[in-house]
Amino acid sequence: MGPGPSNVHPRVLRAMSTPLLGHLDPSFVEIMDEVQELLRYTFRTDNKWTLPVSGTGSAAMETAIANLVEPGDTVLLRTKGYWGDRMAKMARRAGGEVVSLPTPANEPVDPADVTEAFYDHDIDVYGICHADTTTGIRQPHMSELADIARDHGAYTIADTVTSLGGVPVTVDEWGVDVAYSAGQKCLSLPPGASPFTINERAIEKVLNREESPRSWYLDLSLLEDYWGEERAYHHTAPITNVYSIREALRMVAEEGIEDRWERHRAVAGELKAGLEALGIEYNAAEEHWLPSLNAVEVPDGVDDTAVIEYLLEEYNIEIASGLGDLDGEIWRIGCMGHSARRKNVEYLLAAMEDALAQQGYTA
Ligand SMILES: Cc1ncc(COP(=O)(O)O)c(C=O)c1O
C-alpha cells in the first residue's frame, strides 16, 4: 500500500516464468502486436505509435523529452513539483530552455497561469503531471491545458505514471500529444516495461528534427523500426517484461477500463472515509483527490517514521513518508492495481488505528 511498486497479481508472476522466445520470433511478434493493441485500449487512444519502453517510468519520461525537445526549444514546466523538476533536468540535457510555472508544489496547475506563460514566452513543449505521486493531487483541466498548448502551436506531454489503469486517462479525448506511464503503479506489473504513446502531429515533429535525439537508445524513429511494421532489431527487448505487461493489460481489458477506474475510486473511497473517521486529513482538496495515491497529513504529536515502521513490522504493510518539503508532514498510501482491494483497506485501517494508539493518538 505504498506509492509503488504495488502487489503483482499471481497471473502476471506466472506469465513471467514462461520460457523465453527470441525478440524476433514470429510468436513473440504476435505478443508485441497484442501488447500494443492493449496499450491503445488502456490509454484510450488510436495512436499508431504506442509501445512499451524498455526501462522504468523515467525511461518513458526521457523518451518523451529526448524526442520532442530539440536544442533551443522552450519547455514549460511546473518545476516546483517533483516530477516537473525531473522533466526540467531532462529537457535541459536535451538542449531545451525551461520556463517555470509559478504554481507551488502542493497545488494543481491553474490554466490561467499556463495561458499567461504562453503569451509571455514562445513555448514549444509543455509537460504536465496528471497524477502527482508526491502530493496525491490529480491535475484537472487536462483537455483545457492541451488546447492552450495546441492553440499556440506547442506540444503537450502528459505524465500518467500514477494514473494509467486506475484513474481516468483518456489520451485522445484530452488531446495530449504524448503520454507515458510505468508498470509498477495501477497496472501492477514489475518495473521494466513502461507504456508510451505519441500522436501523428508529434511524430511529424520528431521525424523532422534537424538533429537526431541525443539518446540513441530512446530514439523513437529507431524504436519504431522494431515496434512498427518493419520489426527490425534495435535492442533485445526485455522478453519477460513484455510477457508481464501483456498479462497485466489482458487483466485490464477483462475487467474493463471503466470498471477498473470505478474499483479504484470505490476502494480508495473506503480508505478515505476510514482515515477521515480516524481524524486524519487529506493533503489534496476533495476535487483534486487522487484515488491511487492518498497523501494524508501526519497528526500533530505523531512520529511518522515510527508509524511506518510499526505497520511494516507488526502488520507487514508498507506505506511511505513524504518526499522533499513534505517529509515528516504526510504519509503516502497507495491504492493501486492488484493492491486496490477492500480487504487490504480494511486491514490497513485496523492496523493504522493500532499504530496511532501506540503513539498515544486518539481521534
Ligand atoms: C509521477 C511519476 N513520474 C515518474 C516517475 C518515475 O518512474 P520510475 O521510478 O519508474 O522511473 C514516478 C515514480 O514514482 C512517478 O511517480
Side-chain angles (χ1 to χ4, degrees):
M1 304 294 282
S6 56
N7 288 341
V8 176
H9 193 281
R11 259 178 69 177
V12 176
L13 292 175
R14 249 192 324 271
M16 293 183 72
S17 60
T18 309
L20 295 200
L21 287 164
H23 56 283
L24 293 172
D25 186 298
S27 303
F28 189 69
V29 169
E30 280 176 26
I31 294 173
M32 292 166 71
D33 286 338
E34 192 181 339
V35 167
Q36 289 181 281
E37 205 40 51
L38 287 164
L39 278 177
R40 290 186 192 102
Y41 170 75
T42 307
F43 269 126
R44 314 309 294 136
T45 185
D46 292 328
N47 287 345
K48 183 165 164 274
W49 287 33
T50 301
L51 54 101
V53 171
S54 305
T56 68
S58 303
M61 183 192 281
E62 197 145 18
T63 304
I65 302 277
N67 285 278
L68 227 59
V69 178
E70 296 178 70
D73 274 359
T74 304
V75 185
L76 179 66
L77 294 163
R78 189 268 287 282
T79 52
K80 287 189 186 120
Y82 197 88
W83 310 108
D85 182 52
R86 183 171 294 190
M87 277 189 184
K89 290 180 176 129
M90 291 178 180
R92 289 192 191 99
R93 284 181 189 222
E97 278 167 33
V98 173
V99 168
S100 300
L101 280 166
T103 321
N106 214 15
E107 283 174 24
V109 170
D110 183 345
D113 289 340
V114 175
T115 304
E116 198 176 317
F118 268 98
Y119 279 114
D120 291 348
H121 304 272
D122 190 8
I123 290 157
D124 301 288
V125 177
Y126 169 37
I128 319 167
C129 182
H130 177 233
D132 193 327
T133 329
T134 44
T135 59
I137 289 177
R138 186 183 51 81
Q139 174 65 51
H141 321 298
M142 291 299 287
S143 304
E144 197 180 331
L145 296 172
D147 285 352
I148 298 167
R150 198 178 325 99
D151 290 349
H152 287 83
Y155 299 83
T156 42
I157 299 174
D159 180 316
T160 65
V161 167
T162 298
S163 45
L164 187 71
V167 177
V169 169
T170 51
V171 165
D172 287 358
E173 193 191 307
W174 286 348
V176 295
D177 298 291
V178 178
Y180 62 83
S181 190
Q184 70 272 20
K185 313 275 186 182
C186 301
L187 296 175
S188 275
L189 59 117
S194 297
F196 181 92
T197 188
I198 177 167
N199 67 13
E200 289 293 332
R201 179 174 173 262
I203 290 168
E204 284 295 302
K205 174 165 167 60
V206 171
L207 295 181
N208 289 306
R209 290 175 60 106
E210 273 177 29
E211 55 181 76
S212 299
R214 291 180 185 176
S215 168
W216 176 89
Y217 191 68
L218 301 175
D219 182 336
L220 267 177
S221 56
L222 302 180
L223 289 181
E224 188 56 14
D225 286 346
Y226 179 52
W227 283 96
E229 272 140 38
E230 216 171 306
R231 300 295 191 205
Y233 167 72
H234 173 256
H235 65 270
T236 310
I239 309 292
T240 305
N241 293 86
V242 177
Y243 293 158
S244 78
I245 197 168
R246 174 174 71 154
E247 198 61 18
L249 293 172
R250 278 175 163 178
M251 293 184 67
V252 172
E254 284 166 20
E255 184 174 2
I257 189 71
E258 272 141 16
D259 287 350
R260 195 176 171 96
W261 295 336
E262 177 49 29
R263 168 167 61 87
H264 280 76
R265 204 202 52 75
V267 173
E270 280 185 25
L271 175 67
K272 189 167 191 288
L275 290 172
E276 284 173 348
L278 287 174
I280 294 178
E281 288 176 20
Y282 269 63
N283 185 51
E286 178 65 34
E287 64 273 27
H288 308 135
W289 168 54
L290 176 62
S292 49
L293 196 286
N294 296 265
V296 295
E297 291 172 13
V298 178
D300 286 344
V302 170
D303 177 344
D304 68 314
T305 313
V307 169
I308 290 171
E309 285 170 4
Y310 187 80
L311 290 176
L312 194 58
E313 276 160 27
E314 297 298 320
Y315 292 95
N316 207 22
I317 298 178
E318 181 199 51
I319 67 164
S321 55
L323 284 180
D325 289 349
L326 292 170
D327 187 20
E329 303 292 319
I330 60 165
W331 287 302
R332 294 181 301 141
I333 306 175
C335 200
M336 304 172 176
H338 185 49
S339 299
R341 278 175 290 157
R342 283 212 159 82
K343 72 173 186 139
N344 286 0
V345 165
E346 283 160 16
Y347 184 54
L348 171 65
L349 286 171
M352 195 63 158
E353 196 169 350
D354 176 24
L356 289 170
Q358 296 293 321
Q359 292 280 308
Y361 170 88
T362 43

